[in-house]
Amino acid sequence: MCCQGKQKHGCGCQGPRMERFIQPCMLLLLHEKPAHGYELMERLKEFGFEDGADPGLVYRNLRKMEESGWIESEWETEGAGPAKRLYKITAEGIDLLHDWSLHIERGIERLRNFQERYRQSFGKDN
Amino acid sequence: MCCQGKQKHGCGCQGPRMERFIQPCMLLLLHEKPAHGYELMERLKEFGFEDGADPGLVYRNLRKMEESGWIESEWETEGAGPAKRLYKITAEGIDLLHDWSLHIERGIERLRNFQERYRQSFGKDN
DNA sequence: ACTTATATATGACGATAACATATATATGGA
DNA sequence: TCCATATATATGTTATCGTCATATATAAGT
């Protein structure tokens, strides 16, 4: 989880749900280097989207993130295959990525806390 | 995140979304000791649901989990205040809790992987 | 009497993941 | 040439879930 709903926390990543994990992953991939949607679908495997992320999810997120000003794109007609939209992360997108990282850090702490308590509850000292 | 959608993984925790984090938390709390909904709402704060979990979310989850056979309840009319439903975890619920713990462990790994890659992308060796 | 704490429950809304499908272009093989 | 496949983007539909609001009832305190 990123944030846990309700509480307001002025950061850009206004989503209370960890489902949105795909968003920071895409931002990070685009920070590493500009890419188009199809390429991102493949590279997302490296973040645990094992079968490759759903195209609908990827493309809808890309357009939403562009609307929000976190990424920007231009058509690339050169090269082989059909035209592709090349996306780049913006300065605002980088700010958002930093926010996400902080929330993910807290998410890790919450999950670790759960695991520790789980082990205690079952008498595992390991 | 627990699971990352699509891939089937025969475990009981059939939810692909980390939103459901409240579910393993409730199971763990009920494993520690039987409780009723209102009490769980309070104790969930210890898992990061800072303002106390939403009543609607808690009670709906309780009934759903009872339907699924992971917990069971009985009315408790004795004692002060309005009647309360006392919930206990079942053997199946404990199995599910173990499943959840495995998936949460993987979730931690994914998040840590993200953080490491994030730091690399921004040249932070820390 | 009025407020607050305790306790459970439901209705409505919005966001999102999941699944299915449509589209177009280029490449390689039969 | 025809067909399958890879590349690439896009949309529609459904189900789930978190959020917020609200309803109900009991008991204790003021």
Side-chain angles (χ1 to χ4, degrees):
Chain A
M1 331 120 279
C2 156
C3 337
Q4 209 57 265
K6 287 192 172 177
Q7 68 265 28
K8 308 300 175 192
H9 47 18
C11 85
C13 100
Q14 26 119 357
R17 311 188 197 177
M18 196 52 190
E19 323 171 53
R20 300 221 200 154
F21 184 54
I22 197 173
Q23 192 181 94
C25 291
M26 288 168 72
L27 286 172
L28 180 50
L29 288 172
L30 290 178
H31 181 259
E32 288 175 359
K33 78 182 174 78
H36 52 273
Y38 195 80
E39 191 185 341
L40 290 178
M41 275 172 52
E42 280 300 307
R43 289 210 279 153
L44 277 166
K45 289 178 186 172
E46 298 158 28
F47 288 100
F49 298 84
E50 296 179 27
D51 298 332
D54 182 85
L57 190 55
V58 170
Y59 288 109
R60 261 190 273 253
N61 262 282
L62 283 171
R63 266 175 295 117
K64 194 178 178 183
M65 288 163 73
E66 187 164 27
E67 278 176 41
S68 304
W70 303 326
I71 59 176
E72 54 190 13
S73 72
E74 50 188 50
W75 281 103
E76 212 184 37
T77 48
E78 301 165 30
K84 44 195 136 187
R85 215 185 254 281
L86 189 72
Y87 286 94
K88 295 176 189 174
I89 192 168
T90 64
E92 287 175 49
I94 292 176
D95 289 342
L96 180 64
L97 180 51
H98 292 318
D99 285 344
W100 262 109
S101 180
L102 290 173
H103 286 293
I104 286 172
E105 193 60 39
R106 283 187 232 163
I108 292 174
E109 281 161 36
R110 285 201 201 95
L111 296 183
R112 284 164 62 92
N113 172 60
F114 175 91
Q115 291 291 72
E116 194 186 328
R117 192 153 170 173
Y118 164 80
R119 288 188 208 102
Q120 279 174 14
S121 188
F122 286 93
K124 302 176 186 177
D125 282 334
N126 189 15
Chain B
M1 331 121 278
C2 158
C3 338
Q4 209 59 266
K6 287 192 174 178
Q7 66 267 29
K8 308 300 174 194
H9 47 20
C11 85
C13 100
Q14 28 120 352
R17 310 190 197 176
M18 195 51 190
E19 326 171 50
R20 299 221 201 155
F21 184 54
I22 196 172
Q23 192 182 95
C25 290
M26 288 168 72
L27 286 172
L28 180 50
L29 287 172
L30 291 178
H31 181 258
E32 288 175 358
K33 77 182 174 79
H36 51 273
Y38 196 79
E39 191 187 341
L40 290 178
M41 273 172 54
E42 281 300 308
R43 288 210 278 153
L44 278 166
K45 289 179 186 173
E46 299 157 28
F47 288 101
F49 298 83
E50 296 180 25
D51 298 334
D54 183 86
L57 189 55
V58 170
Y59 288 110
R60 260 189 274 253
N61 262 282
L62 283 171
R63 264 175 297 116
K64 194 177 180 184
M65 288 163 72
E66 187 165 26
E67 277 176 43
S68 303
W70 303 325
I71 58 176
E72 53 191 13
S73 73
E74 49 187 50
W75 280 103
E76 211 183 37
T77 47
E78 301 164 30
K84 46 195 134 188
R85 215 185 254 280
L86 190 71
Y87 287 94
K88 295 176 190 173
I89 193 169
T90 65
E92 287 176 47
I94 292 175
D95 289 342
L96 180 63
L97 181 50
H98 293 316
D99 284 346
W100 263 110
S101 180
L102 290 174
H103 286 292
I104 286 171
E105 194 60 39
R106 283 188 232 161
I108 292 173
E109 281 162 36
R110 285 201 201 97
L111 296 183
R112 285 164 62 91
N113 173 59
F114 175 91
Q115 292 291 73
E116 193 185 331
R117 192 152 170 174
Y118 164 79
R119 289 188 208 102
Q120 279 174 14
S121 188
F122 286 94
K124 302 175 185 176
D125 282 335
N126 188 16

